[in-house]
Amino acid sequence: DGGITQSPKYLFRKEGQNVTLSCEQNLNHDAMYWYRQDPGQGLRLIYYSQIVNDFQKGDIAEGYSVSREKKESFPLTVTSAQKNPTAFYLCASSIQEATLNTEAFFGQGTRLTVV
Amino acid sequence: SQQGEEDPQALSIQEGENATMNCSYKTSINNLQWYRQNSGRGLVHLILIRSNEREKHSGRLRVTLDTSKKSSSLLITASRAADTASYFCATDATYNTDKLIFGTGTRLQVFP
């Protein structure tokens, strides 16, 4: 089955700790994205990547870091510098056409809670 | 910053009624997409409309796009309780097609 998988589904972090959220896709998509969603809110873009070994900051990148060492994988690290990390995190991927985006496929999300 | 703003923020209707949600955006776009999100889950793509299209249908969904007003609407006809979800519009931007920017969403509740 092709798809995009996020893990874990639930994650608890103590204040001051870094945590890494996993995102893996076997759709052979070039583009991958990380979004943050707060309760009752829309999605805000954290980081995105169009090709391996390259990524760009989104609108709320502060306190987060990413890597794109493999096409299939785009892990997100929530660092201790992120002051309000409790949120629902969504990873997505899409085929990157020349100038037109196509539909994005989403994982089921990771709910991160600071305890 | 979010590109799209959906209106209304919340909508409650009875089964069988039609539901209309609107999306406004700020910059020129190549395409606009609508997604659905069930509570606590990932988003699912519903329909994509390109900037040179004015209307598109998919089953009970009808999407319109007015680029002169920078707005789109999603119509769900003959709604069902299973349509209860949040609906988001998403756009790229002609100045940066790498980014997919989402709106704030409309929460739709369909009562049996």
Side-chain angles (χ1 to χ4, degrees), chain A residues 33 35 37 40-45 48 50 59 88 90 96-97 99-104 106-108 111, chain B residues 1-2 30-31 33 35 37 40-43 45 48 50 88 92 96-104 107:
Chain A
Y33 310 83
Y35 294 90
Q37 185 177 32
Q41 302 296 313
L43 280 66
R44 291 186 289 168
L45 184 63
Y48 61 104
Q50 301 302 309
D59 298 317
F88 190 50
L90 287 159
Q96 190 62 21
E97 296 180 356
T99 57
L100 297 173
N101 276 322
T102 56
E103 65 176 283
F106 280 82
Q108 290 303 299
R111 189 167 300 280
Chain B
S1 60
Q2 285 170 323
N30 290 306
N31 69 61
Q33 304 179 45
Y35 288 80
Q37 183 183 34
R41 306 296 297 273
L43 278 70
H45 181 263
L48 181 152
R50 302 204 185 277
F88 295 89
D92 64 356
N96 186 349
T97 57
D98 292 342
K99 296 171 69 171
L100 192 59
I101 305 296
F102 284 80
T104 53
R107 293 185 300 281

Side-chain angles (χ1 to χ4, degrees), chain B residues 11-28:
Chain B
L11 180 61
S12 295
I13 59 174
Q14 295 292 129
E15 259 190 334
E17 293 180 339
N18 295 344
T20 299
M21 290 158 267
N22 302 296
C23 168
S24 59
Y25 56 91
K26 299 173 185 174
T27 66
S28 297

